[in-house]
Amino acid sequence: MIKNYFKIAWRNLLKNKSYAFINVMGLALSITCGILIFSLVKYHLSFDNFHDNANRIYRIVTEQHRDNISYTDGVPAPLGNAIRNDYTFTEKIARIATFDQQLITITNDKDVKKFKEKEGAAFTEPEYFSIFNFPLVKGNITTALNEPNTAIVTERIAKKYFGNEDPINKVFRLDNKVDCKITGILKDLPDNTDQKAEIFVSYASLKSYDEWLAKDDSWGGIQSAMHCYTLLKKGVSPASVENVLPAYVKKYRPNSKNVHHYKLQPLADVHFNPHYGGAMEKRNLWVLSFIALFLVITACVNFVNLATAQALNRSKEVGVRKTLGSLRLQLFWQFITETGLITIIATVIAYGLSWLALPYVNEWFGIHISLNILSSWQLPLFMILLAVLVTFFSGSYPGIILSGFKPVQAIKGKLSQQSVGGLNTRRSLIVTQFAISQVLIIGMIVVMGQMKYAKQSDLGFNKDGIVMIPFASGADSSVIEPLRNRFATIPGVEKVSLCFTAPLDNSGWSTSMQFDNRTETEAARVNFKAGDDNYLSTFDLKLVAGRNFFPSDTVREYLVNETMLAKLGLRSPGEIIGKTLRVDGNPAPVVGVVKDFHDKSFHEDINAVCISSYSNLYQTFAVKINMANAKATQAALEKTWSEMSPNGIYESKFLDANVAAFYETEDLMLKLVQVFSFIAIFIGCLGLYGLVSFMAAQKTKEIGIRKVLGSSVAQILWLFGKEFSRLIIIAFLVAAPLAWWAMHTWLQDYKFRINISAWYFVTAISASFIVAAVTVSYQAVKAALMNPVKSLRTE
């Protein structure tokens, strides 16, 4: 019987090739998206879940309460050691200070090799490797990092630096500051970990790299580089640990207006929490999962539409089978078998399409996921379950309808529209498809609008044509000024400034301030920007009052922004110019007020900012160039750098690229929404094609009669046009409020955001009308041009 089901199913597919092709392609595209999104979600959910006792591992993070609440994944450097000495609720606790973009120098008898490690190096306490499962393949994990100037590296790094030589006891120099002897080799880190640094230096070496951070009394501030992880003892709750941590704030920071609240963040939350630098918000995974679900539903709706539209063509077959004794259940399973065969073919094609699309997904996300069904049980199980669900969801309704035909009426061809599900059912399904497509289209348009707004709005400074060139690590200060002067003489260079960061940058120094004769530190924090006297002119920052500060290597004068006035409760620039501002204990007069500029992304409010000269913090050349001859100018900059700063590796990046990097996640989600929107539209078009085919078949005689009575082709076309116009409008009425709610919620993450304009909705419904018109035009025109004599002779 089962063999017969498959034989009949295969014959029907061969007989109705266009019907089979449309269904297979619709299901294949949706299942492809399902496979890729499942693999992506599975990859992100697997982050750091391979460690033993992962449910007892926590990262200590900090909430900073002042005039607002901010979050950082860093903690004061002494906190980990203090907890270790004062309490017994931790089984293990370890500090790790990670610094990215590190220069590695390897010197041997023949030559000097230099490498720039983007993920940097981590100064690590030995217990870190007792908390996490990062096994050593060479060396002793318990002693490898006990001594100063020792390090362990991954197999990949060892191969990169030393080839096939034994790396043990080899020496490299870190950032022109610390010599490190390799005492162990780690197995390469898996892709699904948030630990990205592959060089681990003994924590005892930190004082040679950053003396202040290495001190056990540096409670005054937090560097985001300093993390602290703990493995709690069994039975210890995170809440009980958090309850004792405020004692450190009272003891070491009693008078600070920046009140620290130390929290325990579960390891499972590290990858997803945006407050603490999580790489992927769970909300994005939910969005992708729902998009995959909607696409599968859309494809299944297509299948139902096309299957029921084809039902009349198979009515006599059903009538004959029932007359010969077939039971309704047997006919139902025959149609389920046909659906299953189509779904299996679609799933196989979808798996192949997924392989073809996988390199692009990996490139977009910067990840390395695999679709090898032999290496993981989850993916094949997902594909099987999805195929089963699609089969029954798509095939059950047509199977019930077709198996319910009355044999006499079926054989005589006297079945009504209601016998095959009726137009109302298909209308509802088409409305569902259009509603899903319009939600995606509106969402895509809003995201595009917000990204355009974020990237093209006036940021309060000029980001165009500015090349950011970081100093060489450990560069001699005597080289910096001559190098700036040489840069300034290069043809095409218009301005050169020494600075800590650009006006808008994720890095920064947020610190305390005290104004004029006020006795207490202000509740608000200030974002300190270190730059020389060319900083304003290079970035085209606008003075609204006062003057620029005079050249200096130390803090002598301050510029502040307009937000600073509001934070201090001042009404006009005149109330602050000439007054003393004490920033992190450094007093100086305020000599000018600059127009507000965005110092962070559009996700955040503009902060109180002060700008001053402070050469100890300078780490970047900001070079404004004439873009008319940018390539030659950049080559000259690199050549000059190489001549005067041979100890470093030349790197440069345009500032506008840095600004765009703030929105990488949004750009990525936009790409995906665009792709999935087009797929949803394409699948929806297949469904429309199925419905118009059904309508054309049902209205054959009606069209013939209308043409005999004098109806024009345009009037016949309107029969179809008004039908789909109603469906599109109903779908829009469903989609518009859902899309508005979803995108309004999404935009709340931005402090500076667009308004959701009515034009976005007009564009979405207009696009739907255009797509529908193009889709139905072929069948509609074909029906309208049909010879009425043939139409009326079909009886």
Side-chain angles (χ1 to χ4, degrees):
M1 182 67 72
I2 295 176
K3 180 180 179 182
N4 183 60
Y5 286 163
F6 276 102
K7 184 184 294 184
I8 297 297
W10 183 250
R11 286 175 179 173
N12 279 321
L13 292 183
L14 293 179
K15 182 180 178 181
N16 301 287
K17 292 184 177 65
S18 60
Y19 162 79
F21 175 79
I22 291 173
N23 274 328
V24 167
M25 288 311 300
L27 289 174
L29 286 173
S30 65
I31 294 172
T32 298
C33 296
I35 290 172
L36 291 172
I37 290 175
F38 171 81
S39 300
L40 185 64
V41 171
K42 171 178 166 290
Y43 168 78
H44 282 287
L45 293 178
S46 72
F47 261 67
D48 286 306
N49 67 356
F50 53 86
H51 301 289
D52 294 337
N53 307 310
N55 61 329
R56 290 194 285 129
I57 299 175
Y58 294 83
R59 180 173 68 176
I60 304 176
V61 295
T62 307
E63 283 184 14
Q64 300 181 86
H65 292 236
R66 35 203 182 213
D67 60 326
N68 56 16
I69 299 176
S70 60
Y71 305 87
T72 175
D73 53 0
V75 293
L79 181 63
N81 197 44
I83 294 174
R84 182 187 293 120
N85 295 332
D86 296 342
Y87 297 100
T88 59
F89 46 65
T90 64
E91 192 172 304
K92 302 284 183 183
I93 191 165
R95 294 173 291 180
I96 176 171
T98 306
F99 300 90
D100 59 8
Q101 300 293 344
Q102 296 296 290
L103 176 67
I104 304 297
T105 306
I106 298 171
T107 305
N108 55 39
D109 296 335
K110 297 179 181 178
D111 58 2
V112 176
K113 293 188 291 185
K114 295 181 184 294
F115 304 90
K116 195 66 175 283
E117 293 298 338
K118 178 183 176 183
E119 304 297 346
F123 293 88
T124 313
E125 290 188 319
E127 283 189 317
Y128 181 82
F129 294 99
S130 300
I131 297 174
F132 295 98
N133 289 1
F134 296 126
L136 235 63
V137 294
K138 282 187 179 181
N140 187 334
I141 196 66
T142 60
T143 61
L145 295 178
N146 286 348
E147 300 296 327
N149 300 98
T150 55
I152 58 179
V153 299
T154 63
E155 294 174 296
R156 189 190 72 83
I157 290 292
K159 181 77 173 178
K160 176 181 176 181
Y161 293 171
F162 306 106
N164 295 323
E165 297 180 39
D166 184 1
I168 297 297
N169 294 324
K170 297 285 188 182
V171 176
F172 64 86
R173 187 164 180 79
L174 174 64
D175 226 34
N176 288 327
K177 297 177 182 177
V178 185
D179 290 317
C180 303
K181 181 175 72 173
I182 296 176
T183 54
I185 305 298
L186 274 177
K187 184 179 179 182
D188 282 339
L189 303 180
D191 289 329
N192 58 334
T193 178
D194 284 307
Q195 173 56 60
K196 298 303 182 184
E198 298 181 78
I199 300 171
F200 299 88
V201 182
S202 61
Y203 194 86
S205 309
L206 181 58
K207 62 183 178 182
S208 300
Y209 185 91
D210 189 324
E211 186 177 359
W212 177 84
L213 193 62
K215 290 179 178 179
D216 278 335
D217 61 354
S218 56
W219 290 92
I222 293 176
Q223 280 196 23
S224 59
M226 177 59 69
H227 293 168
C228 183
Y229 292 90
T230 181
L231 175 65
L232 297 184
K233 289 182 177 178
K234 292 181 180 178
V236 176
S237 69
S240 64
V241 178
E242 290 178 349
N243 288 338
V244 305
L245 296 181
Y248 291 113
V249 180
K250 294 177 181 178
K251 182 177 181 180
Y252 296 107
R253 302 175 54 86
N255 301 316
S256 176
K257 290 292 183 69
N258 179 14
V259 181
H260 287 183
H261 292 252
Y262 305 122
K263 304 290 184 180
L264 265 64
Q265 181 188 22
L267 182 63
D269 186 59
V270 168
H271 186 67
F272 302 106
N273 195 324
H275 286 317
Y276 301 111
M280 174 61 70
E281 289 187 58
K282 278 192 175 179
R283 180 183 66 172
N284 291 335
L285 298 183
W286 278 110
V287 169
L288 292 176
S289 299
F290 277 114
I291 288 176
L293 176 62
F294 290 154
L295 290 175
V296 171
I297 290 174
T298 300
C300 291
V301 165
N302 260 6
F303 189 99
V304 173
N305 266 336
L306 290 171
T308 51
Q310 290 285 329
L312 288 177
N313 295 336
R314 302 188 62 179
S315 59
K316 292 184 180 179
E317 173 195 343
V318 173
V320 170
R321 285 179 176 277
K322 281 199 165 186
T323 301
L324 295 176
S326 289
L327 300 177
R328 182 169 185 177
L329 185 62
Q330 291 174 320
L331 291 170
F332 173 81
W333 281 109
Q334 177 190 324
F335 295 121
I336 287 292
T337 303
E338 288 185 24
T339 307
L341 183 59
I342 290 174
T343 305
I344 291 170
I345 295 171
T347 303
V348 172
I349 293 173
Y351 185 65
L353 292 175
S354 300
W355 269 102
L356 294 175
L358 185 63
Y360 300 99
V361 173
N362 282 333
E363 182 181 352
W364 285 355
F365 282 90
I367 58 177
H368 302 283
I369 58 176
S370 170
L371 294 178
N372 189 346
I373 57 176
L374 300 178
S375 63
S376 172
W377 59 269
Q378 292 100 329
L379 180 58
L381 179 62
F382 170 78
M383 292 171 62
I384 292 170
L385 290 176
L386 182 61
V388 171
L389 289 173
V390 167
T391 297
F392 281 93
F393 186 76
S394 302
S396 295
Y397 179 73
I400 291 170
I401 294 296
L402 289 167
S403 63
F405 287 170
K406 293 180 180 179
V408 174
Q409 290 180 337
I411 291 174
K412 288 185 176 181
K414 297 292 186 180
L415 293 173
S416 65
Q417 289 187 7
Q418 292 301 320
S419 300
V420 292
L423 273 174
N424 286 335
T425 301
R426 270 170 288 287
R427 288 180 180 127
S428 300
L429 296 176
I430 289 295
V431 166
T432 301
Q433 286 183 315
F434 267 116
I436 291 173
S437 297
Q438 289 184 20
V439 167
L440 290 174
I441 292 170
I442 294 169
M444 176 182 68
I445 295 171
V446 172
V447 174
M448 289 172 64
Q450 177 63 24
M451 289 301 96
K452 182 179 179 181
Y453 175 69
K455 293 177 181 179
Q456 297 184 8
S457 292
D458 182 10
L459 300 176
F461 64 92
N462 187 359
K463 68 181 186 297
D464 299 324
I466 296 179
V467 182
M468 305 300 291
I469 307 172
F471 295 173
S473 301
D476 188 343
S477 58
S478 63
V479 175
I480 302 302
E481 192 66 30
L483 185 54
R484 179 179 70 165
N485 295 335
R486 282 282 302 276
F487 280 165
T489 64
I490 294 174
V493 171
E494 298 176 352
K495 298 280 185 181
V496 183
S497 175
L498 298 174
C499 59
F500 178 43
T501 64
L504 186 151
D505 197 276
N506 264 333
S507 301
W509 181 16
S510 180
T511 187
S512 60
M513 63 176 173
Q514 189 174 345
F515 177 62
D516 199 28
N517 295 321
R518 296 178 185 177
T519 57
E520 293 188 1
T521 301
E522 301 294 328
R525 303 281 281 181
V526 60
N527 188 2
F528 182 78
K529 298 282 185 183
D532 63 13
D533 55 302
N534 288 327
Y535 192 80
L536 260 63
S537 59
T538 300
F539 293 104
D540 199 19
L541 294 168
K542 306 298 184 184
L543 271 172
V544 295
R547 60 171 175 82
N548 193 9
F549 52 75
F550 293 126
S552 176
D553 290 333
T554 58
V555 176
R556 295 288 180 87
E557 297 169 324
Y558 288 122
L559 299 174
V560 299
N561 67 342
E562 294 170 309
T563 297
M564 174 75 82
L565 304 182
K567 295 289 186 181
L568 294 176
L570 306 178
R571 296 181 179 180
S572 67
E575 295 181 68
I576 196 172
I577 292 178
K579 301 291 179 65
T580 298
L581 186 67
R582 187 182 297 270
V583 177
D584 197 48
N586 296 309
V590 176
V591 297
V593 177
V594 298
K595 186 178 176 62
D596 270 343
F597 58 88
H598 288 274
D599 61 320
K600 299 292 181 183
S601 77
F602 276 31
H603 289 283
E604 302 181 43
D605 280 321
I606 295 174
N607 295 295
V609 175
C610 72
I611 307 169
S612 182
S613 53
Y614 194 0
S615 61
N616 288 343
L617 285 181
Y618 297 164
Q619 61 181 27
T620 308
F621 293 101
V623 184
K624 184 171 181 58
I625 66 174
N626 188 327
M627 295 301 293
N629 198 19
K631 190 172 182 180
T633 304
Q634 286 182 280
L637 288 170
E638 182 173 2
K639 181 180 178 182
T640 303
W641 168 281
S642 301
E643 292 173 354
M644 299 190 65
S645 187
N647 292 330
I649 296 176
Y650 177 82
E651 293 180 294
S652 68
K653 196 170 185 179
F654 277 101
L655 178 57
D656 54 1
N658 287 345
V659 172
F662 277 84
Y663 307 102
E664 281 182 344
T665 301
E666 288 89 342
D667 283 336
L668 181 58
M669 292 299 293
L670 176 59
K671 280 184 181 179
L672 293 176
V673 171
Q674 287 174 330
V675 170
F676 295 142
S677 296
F678 289 131
I679 291 175
I681 291 168
F682 178 74
I683 295 173
C685 290
L686 296 179
L688 271 181
Y689 186 85
L691 184 57
V692 76
S693 300
F694 176 81
M695 287 180 61
Q698 292 298 310
K699 292 178 179 289
T700 300
K701 296 182 183 61
E702 177 187 343
I703 292 171
I705 293 171
R706 286 177 178 274
K707 293 192 75 173
V708 168
L709 295 176
S711 291
S712 65
V713 172
Q715 290 173 321
I716 299 298
L717 291 176
W718 179 238
L719 282 175
F720 295 93
K722 68 180 180 181
E723 172 71 26
F724 292 110
S725 297
R726 284 200 300 265
L727 297 181
I728 290 171
I729 292 172
I730 294 171
F732 178 76
L733 294 176
V734 174
L738 290 175
W740 181 90
W741 172 81
M743 299 319 299
H744 175 76
T745 303
W746 179 77
L747 285 171
Q748 298 313 300
D749 278 351
Y750 292 87
K751 296 295 184 181
F752 298 89
R753 54 183 177 263
I754 60 173
N755 294 317
I756 301 180
S757 167
W759 285 108
Y760 296 153
F761 297 91
V762 172
T763 302
I765 194 171
S766 300
S768 298
F769 274 117
I770 292 171
V771 169
V774 171
T775 304
V776 305
S777 58
Y778 171 74
Q779 285 287 2
V781 171
K782 181 180 177 183
L785 295 177
M786 182 178 292
N787 188 333
V789 175
K790 292 183 179 180
S791 302
L792 297 174
R793 201 170 52 191
T794 57
E795 189 62 54

